[in-house]
């Protein structure tokens, strides 16, 4: 959205244990892959858990099913069984939760967040989300700005958010790598990194890059300058990838090419290892970006803030591109004017991947209600969208948009036990998340203050301390 992100209150504080980060620059013998790196790897470990059986609930599985009086069994960090005829296991450690009148969904996933890179309180000294020093900064990684003590993580947790993608801002044509996190406390960002999640590479269309750099009298100053900048970068990346391929094939002088962090990220996209996460409002610009992807043989995974996706929903479906959208937020700048409230529903109806996202430290706290508004807008057009279907926009479709749909995003056997127990219909404005499980561990309980992460920097009721 806007270049300068504001943040709200709070700050978290953990124990002050120090951590060390290795950053090897040894000369590699094959082209550097993230999977080969020993630096910045996920150190996430699921918190302690015991088997849990939630029964008598209304369950939205995010596979299209709504199960009445159903049960969900969690064990060993995974979803073991979902249905209406689940035998209670014989296990002394089993916790049984009677969820009569309550609802269960997968954990909510936000594909577009700046928590940690624009932490609370929002001051210049900790605003670390936009590297506005060059139009292409594919070498920077959002995770190196994430402050894990940002108390906004805990507020999102209270809204049922179990995973999120943290992205750089949109000042640059290529803003850098994003990172997917589990919404858990950690001493370092590595403690929060979603195991095995692919990186995203943030790109931006339109007004922001040309305003930031055109105002300085440098390229890009226009949208055609934007496109020239993308294309030059992909040409460089192709050359870089070719030089590594030739070296690995035994060609050349036997010396490996010099590592280039900027081109390494771009080449990662060309090799299919990194997903494109593209800030883009206008339909015509999204079409141009898909042409660029075709020219250089990569794929745009998701368009973010895609307020005009409804105009090209068929093309998005045809190209398998997700759209991350707001329910009713637009009109705050010229390129954001031409949205309709039924944008999400129309994209979904066309068979494309529709996602409701936040890009906000406050909206992330009630993404369920944002999905409810998008559902209502579609139903006003006579679409008959059900909660069982709309829940996908903030769960499994979001997981697909960031490349973790094999691990989470729906209540299916063998998936991560990322689960929310709501005190009512999650599409009601009155409903709140009551319990939040991440990998089967209870990470938040609205009725137990000892299961509500609190930070020294957060605003809270002192009587609760």
């Amino acid at each position: 959205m806007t270049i300068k992100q504001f943040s709200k209150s709070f700050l978290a504080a953990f124990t002050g244990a120090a951590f060390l980060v290795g950053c090897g620059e040894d000369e590699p013998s094959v082209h550097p892959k993230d999977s080969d790196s020993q630096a910045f790897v996920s150190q996430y470990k699921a918190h302690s858990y015991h088997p849990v059986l939630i029964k008598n609930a209304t369950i939205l599985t995010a596979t299209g099913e709504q199960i009445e009086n159903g049960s969900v069994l969690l064990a060993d960090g995974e979803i073991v069984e979902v249905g209406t005829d689940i035998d209670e296991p014989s296990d002394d450690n089993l916790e049984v939760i009677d969820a009569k009148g309550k609802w269960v969904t997968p954990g909510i996933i936000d594909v577009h967040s700046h928590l940690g890179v624009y932490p609370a309180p929002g001051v210049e000294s900790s605003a670390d989300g936009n590297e506005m020093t060059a139009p292409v900064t594919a070498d920077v990684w959002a995770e190196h700005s994430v402050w894990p003590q940002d108390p906004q993580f805990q507020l999102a947790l209270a809204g049922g958010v179990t995973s999120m993608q943290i992205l750089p801002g949109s000042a640059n044509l290529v803003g850098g790598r994003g990172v997917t996190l589990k919404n858990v406390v950690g001493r370092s960002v590595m403690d929060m990194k979603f195991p095995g999640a692919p990186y995203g590479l943030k790109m931006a269309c339109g007004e922001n890059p040309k305003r930031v750099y055109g105002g300085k009298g440098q390229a890009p100053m226009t949208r055609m300058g934007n496109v020239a900048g993308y294309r030059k970068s992909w040409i460089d990346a192709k050359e870089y990838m070719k030089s590594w391929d030739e070296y690995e094939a035994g060609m050349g002088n036997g010396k490996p090419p010099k590592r280039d962090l900027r081109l390494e990220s771009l080449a990662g996209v060309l090799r299919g290892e990194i997903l494109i996460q593209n800030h883009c409002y206008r339909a015509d610009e999204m079409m141009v970006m898909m042409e660029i992807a075709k020219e250089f043989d990569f794929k745009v995974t998701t368009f973010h803030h895609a307020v005009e996706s409804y105009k090209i929903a068929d093309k998005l479906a045809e190209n398998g591109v997700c759209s991350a959208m707001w329910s009713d937020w637009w009109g705050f700048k010229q390129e954001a004017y031409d949205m309709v409230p039924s944008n999400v529903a129309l994209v979904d109806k066309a068979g494309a991947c529709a996602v409701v996202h936040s890009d906000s430290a406050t909206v992330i706290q009630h993404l369920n209600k944002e999905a409810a508004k998008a559902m209502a807008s579609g139903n006003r057009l006579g679409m008959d969208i059900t909660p069982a279907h709309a829940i996908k926009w903030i769960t499994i479709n979001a997981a697909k948009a960031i490349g973790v749909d094999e691990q989470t995003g729906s209540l299916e056997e063998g998936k991560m036990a990322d689960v929310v127990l709501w005190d009512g219909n999650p599409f009601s404005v009155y409903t709140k998340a009551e319990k939040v499980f991440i990998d089967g561990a209870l990470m938040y309980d609205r009725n137990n203050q000892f299961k509500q992460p609190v930070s020294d920097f957060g605003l809270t009721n002192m009587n609760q301390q």
Side-chain angles (χ1 to χ4, degrees):
M1 191 197 87
T2 53
I3 295 172
K4 189 171 181 179
Q5 191 75 16
F6 60 87
S7 4
K8 293 189 69 183
S9 49
F10 322 68
L11 277 179
F14 303 91
T15 54
F19 57 88
L20 299 175
V21 176
C23 186
E25 287 290 346
D26 294 340
E27 203 170 62
S29 58
V30 295
H31 91 266
K33 296 177 182 174
D34 294 323
S35 55
D36 297 332
S37 174
Q38 297 302 308
F40 315 119
V41 297
S42 171
Q43 297 170 14
Y44 167 75
K45 290 184 173 56
H47 288 229
S48 62
Y49 50 69
H50 53 261
V52 175
L53 177 64
I54 305 171
K55 63 181 187 181
N56 299 322
T58 298
I59 302 170
L60 302 179
T61 62
T63 61
E65 272 191 290
Q66 176 170 326
I67 302 172
E68 302 296 341
N69 296 313
S71 301
V72 181
L73 177 61
L74 318 178
D76 298 326
E78 296 182 350
I79 296 166
V80 176
E81 200 171 358
V82 182
T84 55
D85 189 22
I86 298 177
D87 293 331
E88 192 170 310
S90 176
D91 188 326
D92 292 341
N93 293 319
L94 178 71
E95 178 185 1
V96 178
I97 298 172
D98 185 354
K100 187 175 177 56
K102 301 176 182 178
W103 291 52
V104 175
T105 70
I108 305 304
I109 300 170
D110 190 3
V111 303
H112 193 118
S113 175
H114 299 295
L115 300 190
V117 299
Y118 286 108
V123 294
E124 287 292 332
S125 59
S126 59
D128 292 317
N130 258 318
E131 183 61 37
M132 294 185 288
T133 53
V136 177
T137 56
D139 48 337
V140 305
W141 297 16
E143 66 190 74
H144 297 152
S145 284
V146 169
W147 186 46
Q149 301 174 29
D150 183 355
Q152 296 170 130
F153 287 119
Q154 287 90 57
L155 297 176
L157 181 66
V161 175
T162 53
S163 300
M164 69 195 81
Q165 178 175 239
I166 308 297
L167 289 167
S170 53
N172 299 344
L173 300 175
V174 182
R177 293 195 194 194
V179 62
T180 297
L181 304 179
K182 287 276 189 174
N183 194 7
V184 297
V185 294
R187 293 184 300 176
S188 75
V189 70
M190 285 76 74
D191 291 339
M192 305 171 72
K193 287 180 74 170
F194 192 116
Y199 281 107
L201 188 66
K202 176 73 176 288
M203 295 183 68
C205 301
E207 293 181 19
N208 288 1
K210 75 189 191 80
R211 184 174 68 244
V212 169
Y213 294 98
K216 299 175 182 175
Q218 69 177 86
M221 190 174 285
T222 61
R223 282 184 163 83
M224 60 186 173
N226 285 354
V227 173
Y230 308 134
R231 298 177 78 202
K232 287 176 184 174
S233 295
W234 292 118
I235 289 170
D236 290 345
K238 283 276 188 185
E239 284 298 312
Y240 183 73
M241 191 169 73
K242 181 183 174 189
S243 67
W244 275 102
D245 289 345
E246 289 179 348
Y247 164 71
E248 289 172 25
M251 301 167 64
N253 60 11
K255 291 186 177 179
K258 183 180 179 181
R259 283 186 70 186
D260 183 311
L261 292 176
R262 180 178 66 89
L263 296 176
E264 204 167 284
S265 290
L266 294 168
V269 173
L270 298 177
R271 295 182 192 279
E273 300 164 355
I274 297 175
L275 310 182
I276 289 294
Q277 305 290 341
N278 199 159
H279 158 122
C280 214
Y281 289 78
R282 285 187 359 193
D284 60 311
E285 288 191 281
M286 289 187 252
M287 294 290 286
V288 168
M289 296 307 290
M290 288 192 285
E291 288 297 305
I292 295 170
K294 189 185 302 178
E295 180 181 10
F296 293 98
D297 194 24
F298 66 89
K299 183 177 185 299
V300 176
T301 301
T302 304
F303 286 118
H304 294 241
H305 317 335
V307 302
E308 294 188 12
S309 273
Y310 67 96
K311 297 180 180 177
I312 55 167
D314 58 331
K315 296 296 181 184
L316 295 166
E318 183 181 313
N319 285 279
V321 180
C322 293
S323 294
M325 299 161 280
W326 294 295
S327 61
D328 57 1
W329 191 10
W330 77 91
F332 43 84
K333 58 179 175 176
Q334 194 275 334
E335 66 183 356
Y337 272 124
D338 203 11
M339 199 185 97
V340 294
S342 51
N343 190 24
V344 175
L346 289 168
V347 171
D348 182 84
K349 184 178 174 61
C353 168
V355 179
V356 175
H357 71 345
S358 82
D359 188 24
S360 162
T362 50
V363 175
I364 193 174
Q365 298 170 33
H366 48 79
L367 273 173
N368 57 314
K369 295 176 179 63
E370 298 304 307
K373 288 189 285 186
M375 180 179 73
S377 295
N379 286 340
R380 278 196 287 273
L381 292 182
M383 291 188 188
D384 194 24
I385 302 167
T386 64
H389 186 79
I391 195 67
K392 296 179 181 179
W393 301 339
I394 49 174
T395 56
I396 189 63
N397 286 9
K400 179 181 178 185
I402 57 176
V404 295
D405 52 314
E406 294 293 323
Q407 298 99 315
T408 191
S410 58
L411 301 181
E412 296 180 271
E413 182 181 338
K415 283 197 168 183
M416 293 170 166
D418 298 338
V419 176
V420 183
L421 174 65
W422 305 88
D423 63 7
N425 183 340
F427 290 85
S428 164
V429 71
Y430 299 107
T431 295
K432 296 182 177 67
E434 187 172 293
K435 297 180 189 292
V436 181
F437 298 87
I438 298 180
D439 288 299
L442 180 62
M443 304 304 293
Y444 175 82
D445 187 337
R446 189 170 296 277
N447 299 315
N448 181 353
Q449 65 173 346
F450 298 108
K451 282 293 182 181
Q452 298 174 13
V454 176
S455 107
D456 288 349
F457 297 93
L459 298 178
T460 186
N461 183 347
M462 295 301 292
N463 293 328
Q464 294 180 345
Q465 298 300 300

